[in-house]
Amino acid sequence: FYPLKILSMTFLGEEREDLILSKREITDPGMVGMVMAVLILLVMGTPIMIVTTLIMLGFYGIISLDAIAWATDPVVFQFAFYIWAHNLMEAMAIMVISAVYGTLPLYLADGTRKLYSDRLANLALWILLFTSFTSFFHHFFTMFPALPAALAYHGNVMSWATGIGAALSIFTILATVWKHGVKPEPGVIALFLGFVLYIFDGISAIITSNVAWSFQLHGTMWQSGHTMNVLIAMGLLWLGVLYHHYPVITGRRLNRSLGNKFVALYVIGGLGAGWAMLAGGADGMPRRFAAWNQEGWMIWGNLILFFGLVLGASFAVLAYNFFSSRNIDATAEEQKAAGY
């Protein structure tokens, strides 16, 4: 229902002047990316919704299990699941980039509120959309003969091709900052570093999408690290967006010093935990396996724990910042004295 609601708001909703802070056109990269992302969720989620709904109806005896036996076939379920799950990550990636495109102009130092090139930004989004649809095939390297080997390699190629869209996005963002400058507020810093974490995760994704490497890494903590890194990156980006909108939503101003501490702790904890998992996977540490002490893997487990605690500390700082925020109507002297 979320994609349907976003599409309804975008194309059928009525403007409310009291809610418009910065007017957007549908051709703005931030808007283009959001529409793309919700369409991916809607279209690519349909197969798994059909399969799982039929299975649920069969379990409840509403329809015969024999009639939906095809839906429980491992090959069918694997296809439906990965069409959804992998494209969910791709949709999140497009959301991430559109969030940066939409928020960065609000922090430009010269007040232009304009990206370096909207056309280049939109081109990057279209490339990511095209390459992401079928990159999920790289997960099916072991499904012979259910999946032709060529499709597994096709998924590998498409995964590498997403790097072209990412590279164009990196150029657009850096060129925008170089041309207009940027105000170093915690919200936009969180956006930048979240995007950096996303790029780092893209490196691990490209490695594991390679068919030869997948045979070595797919069943290890490397995959857990890949998942951890993408979720950590998305989390920081959306927390940056939340940080930016918090004063608008609540009428309260956040403490800049605490905001910077949150971002620093989050990046150290998230990057450390994710890359400790990647290192464990490269060391042969299997995922979904509890006895980490057997092959000397406990060092990675201890690092994951340590950086996980650092990550937890970042949320404690963020929560304290939220609860101790000050009303915006305080005087400028009071705000400055309190570090806001």
Side-chain angles (χ1 to χ4, degrees):
F1 294 112
Y2 169 76
L4 294 175
K5 179 64 176 177
I6 295 297
L7 292 174
S8 174
M9 291 169 58
T10 303
F11 296 106
L12 304 176
E14 296 182 359
E15 284 188 355
R16 284 182 52 183
E17 294 296 332
D18 58 320
L19 295 179
I20 297 177
L21 300 177
S22 180
K23 189 174 178 63
R24 311 277 183 171
E25 301 295 335
I26 192 61
T27 55
D28 290 346
M31 295 293 291
V32 171
M34 183 57 68
V35 171
M36 283 182 179
V38 296
L39 284 172
I40 291 173
L41 295 175
L42 187 64
V43 174
M44 305 311 251
T46 299
I48 193 68
M49 288 298 296
I50 293 172
V51 170
T52 53
T53 300
L54 289 174
I55 294 174
M56 182 187 71
L57 294 175
F59 285 161
Y60 279 98
I62 298 174
I63 60 177
S64 169
L65 286 173
D66 292 335
I68 53 96
W70 62 271
T72 62
D73 184 275
V75 172
V76 172
F77 197 88
Q78 281 276 72
F79 266 82
F81 173 78
Y82 274 108
I83 287 172
W84 154 246
H86 196 271
N87 277 287
L88 170 63
M89 296 298 166
E90 301 293 354
M92 290 169 65
I94 291 176
M95 279 186 179
V96 160
I97 294 175
S98 65
V100 178
Y101 285 161
T103 309
L104 174 60
L106 305 179
Y107 286 91
L108 296 180
D110 61 5
T112 56
R113 295 198 170 191
K114 192 70 176 174
L115 291 171
Y116 177 77
S117 170
D118 283 356
R119 288 185 178 182
L120 202 59
N122 284 331
L123 175 62
L125 291 170
W126 282 106
I127 290 174
L128 288 169
L129 179 69
F130 174 77
T131 57
S132 67
F133 271 141
T134 55
S135 61
F136 70 90
F137 280 126
H138 68 233
H139 284 283
F140 292 162
F141 60 95
T142 60
M143 290 186 65
F144 310 124
L147 180 81
L151 289 183
Y153 284 98
H154 169 82
N156 182 194
V157 171
M158 288 295 102
S159 297
W160 280 75
T162 59
I164 300 174
L168 289 175
S169 298
I170 294 169
F171 173 81
T172 301
I173 292 167
L174 292 179
T176 300
V177 174
W178 173 77
K179 183 176 181 180
H180 302 292
V182 67
K183 302 173 185 176
E185 298 290 336
V188 75
I189 292 173
L191 280 172
F192 277 138
L193 292 180
F195 188 66
V196 170
L197 291 178
Y198 166 69
I199 297 300
F200 282 167
D201 172 70
I203 297 171
S204 70
I206 285 177
I207 291 172
T208 196
S209 72
N210 180 277
V211 175
W213 275 107
S214 285
F215 275 101
Q216 301 295 323
L217 297 173
H218 203 276
T220 72
M221 284 294 289
W222 182 281
Q223 283 302 106
S224 300
H226 166 41
T227 305
M228 174 76 173
N229 278 312
V230 72
L231 295 177
I232 285 294
M234 306 298 174
L236 185 56
L237 276 147
W238 287 119
L239 286 170
V241 173
L242 172 62
Y243 196 99
H244 165 75
H245 285 95
Y246 185 85
V248 180
I249 297 170
T250 65
R252 300 175 68 85
R253 190 182 303 277
L254 294 167
N255 185 291
R256 181 183 299 178
S257 177
L258 288 175
N260 289 333
K261 287 183 174 64
F262 154 71
V263 174
L265 289 170
Y266 187 104
V267 171
I268 293 170
L271 192 63
W275 282 75
M277 292 181 187
L278 292 175
D283 194 31
M285 181 181 179
R287 58 177 175 157
R288 299 170 185 164
F289 182 77
W292 290 351
N293 60 323
Q294 289 190 8
E295 302 291 336
W297 295 317
M298 201 62 209
I299 183 175
W300 307 120
N302 289 331
L303 286 173
I304 293 168
L305 173 61
F306 170 76
F307 286 112
L309 292 173
V310 174
L311 187 62
S314 74
F315 286 112
V317 172
L318 181 63
Y320 179 73
N321 200 358
F322 283 158
F323 286 120
S324 63
S325 56
R326 303 292 182 87
N327 288 328
I328 290 178
D329 58 7
T331 66
E333 291 76 12
E334 291 173 336
Q335 299 281 4
K336 185 176 180 180
Y340 289 82

